Amino acid sequence: MSAYFHLRAVPPPALRNSTNWLRRLFDDDRDAVRHRVDRHREEVLDGRYPDHQLLYADAPPLSRESGPGAPVVLGGRPLYAGPRQPPFLVLTPAQTSRVAAFLAAADFEELWRPARAALLPRYGGPAEESRTRASFASAHHDLTAFYTTTARHGDAVVKWLLT
């Protein structure tokens, strides 16, 4: 089974600062996850999630207070699950709202242009540009929907790399 990066919306009253609780949060079967993804309460990026991060890492902030777009994929307060496990990453509801605002205002073409040179060689070069661009545009759309819905509900986001 390949690794994937899992993002999940969590209502603030339910959120616990316990790695055991957070592990259980991600102990669902694939059908349950798929159902929540369809409702934009959860999002999953495949093992290429660091490549998705390239779209947002150098994006300018909307304002001085909102910070860069980097929290879209890898941002959040780390909670370490163990010495050989990736940390959980937690975004507060306020941070989630800032990411949602950033994504809603972002123009995919402006994100794609600077990341294009780094991404195309990894996905078949210029011959595969339309397919590669479409894949990243689709993930951007899904992340925008996830964060927008999550922010509208006032929820936090918990992220974890699952293998």
Side-chain angles (χ1 to χ4, degrees), residues 39-139:
R39 293 184 357 225
H40 297 296
R41 302 301 294 148
E42 210 149 336
E43 189 55 54
V44 176
L45 296 172
D46 64 20
R48 300 174 298 176
Y49 68 90
D51 291 343
H52 292 281
Q53 176 67 11
L54 286 173
L55 287 175
Y56 308 110
D58 292 329
L62 293 175
S63 69
R64 194 172 276 277
E65 296 81 37
S66 67
V72 173
V73 178
L74 295 176
R77 178 177 53 90
L79 288 172
Y80 294 93
R84 290 194 169 102
Q85 293 184 318
F88 294 97
L89 300 172
V90 180
L91 290 176
T92 66
Q95 291 169 317
T96 298
S97 290
R98 285 192 295 272
V99 171
F102 164 77
L103 288 170
D107 176 357
F108 180 76
E109 274 309 311
E110 289 182 21
L111 297 172
W112 174 251
R113 267 188 240 110
R116 179 183 175 275
L119 293 172
L120 284 183
R122 300 176 191 192
Y123 295 94
E128 293 295 318
E129 181 168 4
S130 64
R131 184 175 303 169
T132 303
R133 185 192 173 288
S135 175
F136 280 89
S138 176

Side-chain angles (χ1 to χ4, degrees), residues 5-7 16 18 23 25 32 38 51 62 78 83 110-111 120:
F5 200 66
H6 197 145
L7 297 81
R16 302 290 178 267
S18 157
R23 258 191 214 99
L25 181 67
D38 288 343
D51 291 343
L62 293 175
E110 289 182 21
L111 297 172
L120 284 183

